[in-house]
PDB file of all heavy atoms in Angstrom:
ATOM      1  N   ARG A  29      -7.693   1.494  -4.395  1.00 98.00           N
ATOM      2  CA  ARG A  29      -8.504   0.939  -3.306  1.00 98.00           C
ATOM      3  C   ARG A  29      -8.329  -0.618  -3.283  1.00 98.00           C
ATOM      4  O   ARG A  29      -8.289  -1.301  -4.347  1.00 98.00           O
ATOM      5  CB  ARG A  29      -9.942   1.239  -3.553  1.00 98.00           C
ATOM      6  CG  ARG A  29     -10.257   2.737  -3.421  1.00 98.00           C
ATOM      7  CD  ARG A  29     -11.727   2.977  -3.418  1.00 98.00           C
ATOM      8  NE  ARG A  29     -12.011   4.374  -3.572  1.00 98.00           N
ATOM      9  CZ  ARG A  29     -11.801   5.346  -2.609  1.00 98.00           C
ATOM     10  NH1 ARG A  29     -11.451   4.954  -1.408  1.00 98.00           N
ATOM     11  NH2 ARG A  29     -12.015   6.604  -2.884  1.00 98.00           N
ATOM     12  N   ASP A  30      -8.252  -1.212  -2.076  1.00 98.00           N
ATOM     13  CA  ASP A  30      -8.156  -2.627  -1.852  1.00 98.00           C
ATOM     14  C   ASP A  30      -9.365  -3.249  -2.381  1.00 98.00           C
ATOM     15  O   ASP A  30     -10.523  -2.725  -2.151  1.00 98.00           O
ATOM     16  CB  ASP A  30      -7.964  -2.929  -0.330  1.00 98.00           C
ATOM     17  CG  ASP A  30      -7.360  -4.389  -0.174  1.00 98.00           C
ATOM     18  OD1 ASP A  30      -8.110  -5.336  -0.469  1.00 98.00           O
ATOM     19  OD2 ASP A  30      -6.153  -4.383   0.102  1.00 98.00           O
ATOM     20  N   ASN A  88       2.547  -5.745   5.838  1.00 98.00           N
ATOM     21  CA  ASN A  88       2.616  -7.125   6.261  1.00 98.00           C
ATOM     22  C   ASN A  88       3.851  -7.674   5.625  1.00 98.00           C
ATOM     23  O   ASN A  88       4.090  -7.489   4.397  1.00 98.00           O
ATOM     24  CB  ASN A  88       1.346  -7.907   5.705  1.00 98.00           C
ATOM     25  CG  ASN A  88       0.099  -7.422   6.469  1.00 98.00           C
ATOM     26  OD1 ASN A  88       0.090  -7.118   7.580  1.00 98.00           O
ATOM     27  ND2 ASN A  88      -0.995  -7.273   5.725  1.00 98.00           N
ATOM     28  N   THR A  96      -0.068 -11.650   1.154  1.00 98.00           N
ATOM     29  CA  THR A  96      -0.488 -12.504   0.007  1.00 98.00           C
ATOM     30  C   THR A  96       0.064 -11.962  -1.343  1.00 98.00           C
ATOM     31  O   THR A  96       0.088 -12.777  -2.318  1.00 98.00           O
ATOM     32  CB  THR A  96      -2.085 -12.487  -0.012  1.00 98.00           C
ATOM     33  OG1 THR A  96      -2.464 -11.055  -0.116  1.00 98.00           O
ATOM     34  CG2 THR A  96      -2.573 -13.116   1.141  1.00 98.00           C
ATOM     35  N   HIS A 101       3.919  -3.198  -0.230  1.00 98.00           N
ATOM     36  CA  HIS A 101       2.765  -2.316  -0.261  1.00 98.00           C
ATOM     37  C   HIS A 101       2.453  -1.810   1.217  1.00 98.00           C
ATOM     38  O   HIS A 101       2.746  -2.618   2.077  1.00 98.00           O
ATOM     39  CB  HIS A 101       1.535  -2.882  -0.878  1.00 98.00           C
ATOM     40  CG  HIS A 101       1.173  -4.233  -0.411  1.00 98.00           C
ATOM     41  ND1 HIS A 101       1.851  -5.339  -0.740  1.00 98.00           N
ATOM     42  CD2 HIS A 101       0.187  -4.665   0.546  1.00 98.00           C
ATOM     43  CE1 HIS A 101       1.370  -6.467  -0.069  1.00 98.00           C
ATOM     44  NE2 HIS A 101       0.311  -6.020   0.705  1.00 98.00           N
ATOM     45  N   HIS A 103      -0.707  -0.566   3.585  1.00 98.00           N
ATOM     46  CA  HIS A 103      -2.155  -0.475   3.675  1.00 98.00           C
ATOM     47  C   HIS A 103      -2.506   0.822   4.434  1.00 98.00           C
ATOM     48  O   HIS A 103      -1.801   1.051   5.484  1.00 98.00           O
ATOM     49  CB  HIS A 103      -2.730  -1.576   4.441  1.00 98.00           C
ATOM     50  CG  HIS A 103      -2.631  -2.960   3.850  1.00 98.00           C
ATOM     51  ND1 HIS A 103      -3.680  -3.610   3.206  1.00 98.00           N
ATOM     52  CD2 HIS A 103      -1.557  -3.826   3.778  1.00 98.00           C
ATOM     53  CE1 HIS A 103      -3.211  -4.806   2.968  1.00 98.00           C
ATOM     54  NE2 HIS A 103      -1.939  -4.928   3.151  1.00 98.00           N
TER      55      HIS A 103
HETATM   56  P1  5GP B   1      -1.336  -8.240   1.850  1.00 63.57           P
HETATM   57  O1  5GP B   1      -2.248  -9.355   2.408  1.00 63.57           O
HETATM   58  O2  5GP B   1      -0.333  -8.979   0.960  1.00 63.57           O
HETATM   59  O3  5GP B   1      -0.769  -7.402   2.913  1.00 63.57           O
HETATM   60  O4  5GP B   1      -2.242  -7.348   0.979  1.00 63.57           O
HETATM   61  C1  5GP B   1      -2.593  -7.609  -0.230  1.00 63.57           C
HETATM   62  C2  5GP B   1      -3.973  -6.891  -0.476  1.00 63.57           C
HETATM   63  O5  5GP B   1      -4.231  -6.874  -1.867  1.00 63.57           O
HETATM   64  C3  5GP B   1      -5.143  -7.605   0.158  1.00 63.57           C
HETATM   65  O6  5GP B   1      -5.748  -6.727   1.130  1.00 63.57           O
HETATM   66  C4  5GP B   1      -6.141  -7.913  -0.975  1.00 63.57           C
HETATM   67  O7  5GP B   1      -7.407  -7.699  -0.666  1.00 63.57           O
HETATM   68  C5  5GP B   1      -5.595  -6.983  -2.109  1.00 63.57           C
HETATM   69  N1  5GP B   1      -5.872  -7.404  -3.444  1.00 63.57           N
HETATM   70  C6  5GP B   1      -5.553  -8.750  -3.856  1.00 63.57           C
HETATM   71  N2  5GP B   1      -5.847  -8.715  -5.173  1.00 63.57           N
HETATM   72  C7  5GP B   1      -6.312  -7.537  -5.537  1.00 63.57           C
HETATM   73  C8  5GP B   1      -6.720  -6.996  -6.709  1.00 63.57           C
HETATM   74  O8  5GP B   1      -6.778  -7.632  -7.833  1.00 63.57           O
HETATM   75  N3  5GP B   1      -7.017  -5.657  -6.761  1.00 63.57           N
HETATM   76  C9  5GP B   1      -6.954  -4.832  -5.675  1.00 63.57           C
HETATM   77  N4  5GP B   1      -7.373  -3.668  -5.786  1.00 63.57           N
HETATM   78  N5  5GP B   1      -6.489  -5.387  -4.487  1.00 63.57           N
HETATM   79  C10 5GP B   1      -6.200  -6.670  -4.454  1.00 63.57           C
END
Side-chain angles (χ1 to χ4, degrees):
R29 293 190 194 283
D30 196 291
N88 294 320
T96 57
H101 53 281
H103 296 255

